[in-house]
Amino acid sequence: MEAPPVAVMPVTGGSIHMMEYLLQGSVLDQALESLLHRLRGLCDNMEPESFVDHEMVFLLKGQQGSPFILRARHSLDRPAAPWHLRYLGQPEVGDKSRHALVRNCVDVSASHSLHDFLLEMGFRMDHEFVAKGHIFRKGALKVVVFKLFRILLPGNTENTEPLSLSNLVELSVLAPAGQDTVSDDMRNFAEQLKPLVHLDKIDPKRLM
Amino acid sequence: MCLTLCVCVCVCEIVIVFCARSVSQVPVAEGKSVQQTVEMLNRKLEQLGAVKQGNFCVDCETYHAGAIGSPGQPPKFLYVMHNSEAPLSCFALFENGPCLVADPNFDVLMIKLKSYFQNAKSNKVESRGARYQYCDFLVKVGTATIASSARGITVEVEYCPCVTANDCWNLLMEFMQSFLPSHIPGVPSMFGVKTDGVYSPSDTMAQYLELFSKLRKQQAATGSGMR
């Protein structure tokens, strides 16, 4: 057993300034195959990956007005994979001409004790859902096409029903803050998906 | 986060503390400092034939949940620890509660949560020292410091080929007797609790946490005694 000879220091901290650039759209079930076909052509040459994920959204209510939201996600078809915890900040209100929604994003991979740990921290689960779909990649761009399923009995991921007759399409890039050329690349890619799907900057606040 | 390669992903560890103040436990001569005791242990290991392989560091930060929970309850403490043996991991624990193993971005998340969990910076405990390998054993002798003042000594002994804790406690004890002064403490409390018996890095961190908590309590006790 070879041990590392050099003094290894623990790595503390990560990157606090990662931003998620996001464009969203949707397609009806009938148009799904055509979209997947076009994405296979446009994206990096690799087998498109399909996934079945279970996501739980947790809230922490403090003394401040709005609660702190964390999203915990794990794979149902690859149960050994680590859980994924995600924090998404408020969308940046900046340049109106920017083509994508920009928000601060912190991604943490975690062990399977994440659910119990979040409850111990004081978080409470607000809602959960199952997402089934495909993921494509083109360089740093990530395209995810998936269908949302409502969970009928809390905690039971076998018993689900589709939320709608559509599939959600998300085009996203994770990049350090300040790289605004990213949204131009995203817009150019989104152009190639028209008229199958129109990807837009959708402000979550306007939906509430 | 999870270890790599092949085969025996090691680990069956114990952590014991010799606090220079605990006179009954350590046959340290009057006037010997923490540093001198550590050097003495290091020399004993080298005489045994152990080879020094770099240094190690284990640290622990305390966060307290100020704004959460019902008013009557005592404040909850969340401990975030790092171990140089698992450089790309971050461990978050509640005392006697669940333990989370995450990647280093968890520290960034704690910064985002700063209005809910306050970092008690003066409570940061660190143990640093040399890392020795002797055949199938890894021994780390560290000086535990709270706010840069040495408060005790931690000795971590790891028996690499075995992952079942209860199977190798006797072997660990026998090995420890060869280089440690007389007192060897009993089986760590968590060994009894484990149902499947498979050891993991979070067990190591839980042991360090227990140790660091003891040191903090001793520091608090001495502090009040000096007034």
Side-chain angles (χ1 to χ4, degrees):
Chain A
M1 184 216 65
E2 271 307 307
V6 184
V8 180
M9 296 310 296
V11 173
T12 50
S15 179
I16 197 166
H17 295 301
M18 290 306 274
M19 308 300 275
E20 185 199 41
Y21 294 76
L22 181 70
L23 285 176
Q24 290 173 306
S26 73
V27 285
L28 288 173
D29 286 340
Q30 302 90 288
L32 180 64
E33 268 314 306
S34 321
L35 178 63
L36 292 178
H37 192 256
R38 186 173 290 194
L39 284 170
R40 260 182 228 123
L42 288 171
C43 293
D44 286 351
N45 189 16
M46 49 171 248
E47 272 308 304
E49 270 185 46
S50 67
F51 65 89
V52 183
D53 282 351
H54 173 213
E55 181 165 321
M56 294 179 268
V57 181
F58 289 85
L59 296 180
L60 182 61
K61 294 197 168 83
Q63 282 151 5
Q64 287 81 352
S66 52
F68 193 88
I69 303 174
L70 277 181
R71 304 172 160 268
R73 195 160 170 139
H74 71 117
S75 176
L76 291 173
D77 58 347
R78 293 175 187 84
W83 282 57
H84 184 212
L85 187 62
R86 182 167 246 221
Y87 163 76
L88 291 168
Q90 292 300 319
E92 263 191 11
V93 251
D95 194 359
K96 287 284 190 303
S97 68
R98 204 190 271 147
H99 305 295
L101 187 78
V102 186
R103 49 194 183 177
N104 186 212
C105 171
V106 179
D107 286 306
V108 185
S109 289
S111 59
H112 295 248
S113 50
L114 182 62
H115 180 252
D116 294 335
F117 194 81
L118 286 173
L119 292 177
E120 189 75 23
M121 278 176 89
F123 283 86
R124 291 295 166 257
M125 191 178 80
D126 183 62
H127 62 274
E128 55 180 345
F129 58 87
V130 169
K132 257 186 232 188
H134 296 82
I135 178 169
F136 298 85
R137 196 183 56 208
K138 185 175 177 62
L141 264 68
K142 180 172 87 169
V143 186
V144 190
V145 181
F146 61 101
K147 202 168 176 63
L148 286 171
F149 290 78
R150 183 188 289 122
I151 293 179
L152 299 166
L153 290 168
N156 185 347
T157 52
E158 306 287 318
N159 212 353
T160 60
E161 70 176 14
L163 199 59
S164 68
L165 297 170
S166 320
N167 297 268
L168 190 55
V169 184
E170 288 188 342
L171 170 63
S172 62
V173 178
L174 265 183
Q179 287 192 9
D180 282 336
T181 49
V182 165
S183 56
D184 292 331
D185 294 335
M186 288 172 74
R187 190 199 44 173
N188 295 337
F189 185 83
E191 288 293 314
Q192 298 186 60
L193 291 178
K194 290 180 178 171
L196 283 176
V197 62
H198 286 263
L199 294 174
D200 248 325
K201 176 165 85 165
I202 300 188
D203 186 359
K205 283 210 200 69
R206 285 199 287 119
L207 298 170
M208 298 209 213
Chain B
M1 141 191 95
C2 221
L3 289 180
T4 59
L5 328 172
C6 43
V7 202
C8 11
V9 173
C10 44
V11 193
C12 201
E13 312 181 62
I14 69 114
V15 181
I16 55 179
V17 68
F18 283 174
C19 181
R21 297 211 182 134
S22 170
V23 176
S24 59
Q25 288 186 357
V26 179
V28 173
E30 286 294 304
K32 276 244 166 83
S33 69
V34 167
Q35 192 185 359
Q36 287 167 325
T37 316
V38 168
E39 275 165 13
M40 188 184 79
L41 285 169
N42 287 343
R43 251 178 284 125
K44 268 217 180 117
L45 282 166
E46 281 160 11
Q47 277 166 7
L48 206 57
V51 176
K52 179 169 168 179
Q53 291 189 333
N55 296 313
F56 81 98
C57 174
V58 175
D59 67 63
C60 175
E61 291 174 339
T62 312
Y63 289 83
H64 66 91
I68 318 168
S70 37
Q73 279 174 2
K76 258 191 191 165
F77 290 103
L78 169 64
Y79 301 97
V80 178
M81 305 178 72
H82 304 89
N83 188 345
S84 56
E85 207 66 24
L88 295 177
S89 291
C90 179
F91 300 86
L93 314 95
F94 284 96
E95 206 153 16
N96 301 321
C99 173
L100 184 75
V101 183
D103 65 29
N105 254 3
F106 190 80
D107 292 318
V108 177
L109 192 63
M110 288 313 292
I111 298 175
K112 296 284 177 194
L113 278 164
K114 64 174 182 252
S115 51
Y116 300 87
F117 290 92
Q118 283 81 40
N119 187 348
K121 292 203 168 74
S122 57
N123 272 354
K124 180 167 180 175
V125 187
E126 256 185 16
S127 178
R128 282 171 192 264
R131 193 175 178 276
Y132 287 93
Q133 191 198 339
Y134 178 66
C135 302
D136 286 331
F137 294 94
L138 263 181
V139 184
K140 296 177 204 150
V141 181
T143 306
T145 56
I146 302 182
S148 323
S149 76
R151 294 282 158 187
I153 303 169
T154 63
V155 175
E156 181 190 330
V157 181
E158 177 180 336
Y159 178 58
C160 305
C162 182
V163 292
T164 313
N166 292 319
D167 280 351
C168 61
W169 171 249
N170 289 328
L171 180 60
L172 277 172
M173 266 224 302
E174 203 178 311
F175 175 63
M176 283 191 281
Q177 275 160 3
S178 63
F179 71 95
L180 287 175
S182 49
H183 177 77
I184 311 291
V187 182
S189 49
M190 74 201 41
F191 281 22
V193 182
K194 290 188 85 58
T195 44
D196 57 5
V198 175
Y199 197 86
S200 73
S202 20
D203 296 320
T204 310
M205 303 320 282
Q207 289 187 62
Y208 266 109
L209 180 64
E210 207 179 304
L211 218 96
F212 289 161
S213 300
K214 222 187 284 179
L215 286 174
R216 263 191 232 113
K217 286 194 185 106
Q218 278 169 345
Q219 179 202 30
T222 343
S224 59
M226 281 171 73
R227 266 187 232 117

